[in-house]
Amino acid sequence: MSAIRSSVGNLSVLALALAFAPAATAQVNWESLPYTRHADLQAVNSNGSPAYAGGFPLRVRGVLLNAPGSVFSDAPSFIPVDWPRTAFQFGGRQQPYVQAVDLNDSGGTAMFLAQCLGNHPVNQDDAFSYTNEQWTAEVFRLTRDAATGHVFQPGDLVEVRARAGLHFSGKFNINEAHSNNPSNDYDVVLLQAGFGLPRPLSVKLSDVKSPANLDIFDPARTAGGERFQSQLVLLRNVTIAPGSDWRREGLITLTDGVRTIPAILGTSPSFDTAPAPTGTLDILGIFDQEASPSPIGGLNGYRLIALDVPSFRPACPADFNADAQADFFDFLDFAAAFAAVDPSADFNSDGQVDFFDYLDYAQAFASPC
């Protein structure tokens, strides 16, 4: 029975892969394709399933939030298939994010690249994996602009040209649909080097978790974790919980005393040389989702990705615009959010924007960090 269930599951994933893989290997006239909005690509139904049905190829535009090898190590690490012991052991990986910059768009999209795709359940064959030499070439291709040789950096404005992609654990990834076939490659094209990172969205655990510490899911993407997914955020007023695995590519738990959220640490060597910070913190990171697989995998699993130790800052309530300093621009930005009754102006986290928020922020501003 378990073998039958496994086969059915594999067929289900394979069907998705075929549905979103390119129909042919013909040359794509990329300039003729309109940009797909991140908001449309990441749209979800009320049960968490993907609402995007636009197909591939497609191209998206946005600002690169992180270097390609900064979330997971992309060093060559070939792992031969030894099923099922090596299931999902992908060796080298990349997961860069691009965030929307156009006024009629919002959100962001992750790109996922893995070396040992033979260890995916739909494959179970080394033929689907990159050798270390092939992987090194693939990493080189995707970390540099083909026309200029520019090495991609956070803050670069780029265009991502996707021939395939799959919905996984709550977000729609641009990827190679579990295949090393060149017809599934995606490309990253430089539009403007040093365009600049977006201003982080300010988020509190009360924005994304209920008082019972459950993930808040909103298919309209106006609240809860969906509102912040795949975007640069500053998570406010949290501490690192005891027992956290503070190390490169470790997993830690953040808490406000009532709610918790997991955070994965990136590949920066600073995590191995600096002790875990203490006290109340504001943490700069990428808001992500890695939902549980059942029943669909889209209603929960929100988490933070922190890329290096400097991303952990002493909490500063007066720094409303999350630029790492408290100044008059923070007050102007708070006043604008307050006038617009924007949820970010709910300074006291009581679920409403009112005069008490204004008083509390004024008090915090009068005593800057």
Side-chain angles (χ1 to χ4, degrees), residues 128-348:
F128 290 91
S129 297
Y130 293 98
T131 66
N132 284 340
E133 293 75 15
Q134 292 169 335
W135 176 250
T136 298
E138 189 75 350
V139 167
F140 186 91
R141 182 180 72 83
L142 287 170
T143 53
R144 291 164 176 80
D145 178 58
T148 66
H150 171 81
V151 177
F152 292 120
Q153 302 292 329
D156 287 344
L157 184 67
V158 299
E159 174 183 307
V160 183
R161 298 174 174 180
R163 297 171 179 84
L166 290 170
H167 185 265
F168 176 73
S169 292
K171 61 182 182 292
F172 209 117
N173 292 324
I174 287 173
N175 58 27
E176 297 181 329
H178 312 318
S179 172
N180 59 356
N181 190 319
S183 67
N184 284 25
D185 282 351
Y186 64 83
D187 305 308
V188 184
V189 177
L190 180 69
L191 299 179
Q192 181 181 333
F195 177 84
L197 287 169
R199 192 184 92 180
L201 301 173
S202 181
V203 56
K204 304 180 291 292
L205 283 186
S206 58
D207 294 326
V208 294
K209 301 294 286 285
S210 73
N213 201 30
L214 300 175
D215 286 300
I216 298 172
F217 173 76
D218 173 21
R221 312 198 76 210
T222 59
E226 289 296 313
R227 179 187 176 201
F228 303 100
Q229 181 185 295
S230 297
Q231 298 178 87
L232 192 66
V233 302
L234 190 68
L235 181 63
R236 304 276 195 172
N237 299 318
V238 294
T239 60
I240 299 175
S244 291
D245 186 16
W246 180 265
R247 61 178 175 84
R248 190 185 326 190
E249 295 189 75
L251 179 67
I252 66 174
T253 299
L254 305 172
T255 181
D256 63 2
V258 176
R259 304 164 182 85
T260 62
I261 193 169
I264 62 173
L265 306 181
T267 60
S268 171
S270 61
F271 290 118
D272 293 335
T273 58
T278 58
T280 305
L281 305 165
D282 292 340
I283 305 173
L284 184 70
I286 301 169
F287 204 81
D288 187 46
Q289 185 179 19
E290 192 83 0
S292 59
S294 178
I296 291 172
L299 301 175
N300 56 18
Y302 300 106
R303 64 183 185 179
L304 186 73
I305 299 172
L307 298 175
D308 54 26
V309 171
S311 298
F312 292 74
R313 312 169 179 175
C316 182
D319 179 21
F320 183 76
N321 62 16
D323 65 353
Q325 55 186 342
D327 53 29
F328 190 59
F329 293 105
D330 293 291
F331 202 98
L332 291 178
D333 287 346
F334 175 80
F338 183 83
V341 198
D342 189 279
S344 65
D346 180 18
F347 191 73
N348 59 16

Side-chain angles (χ1 to χ4, degrees), residues 38-39 41-42 97-100 106-110 172 221 229-231:
H38 293 272
L41 184 59
Q42 301 302 331
Y97 290 75
V98 286
Q99 182 171 324
S106 62
T109 300
F172 209 117
R221 312 198 76 210
Q229 181 185 295
S230 297
Q231 298 178 87

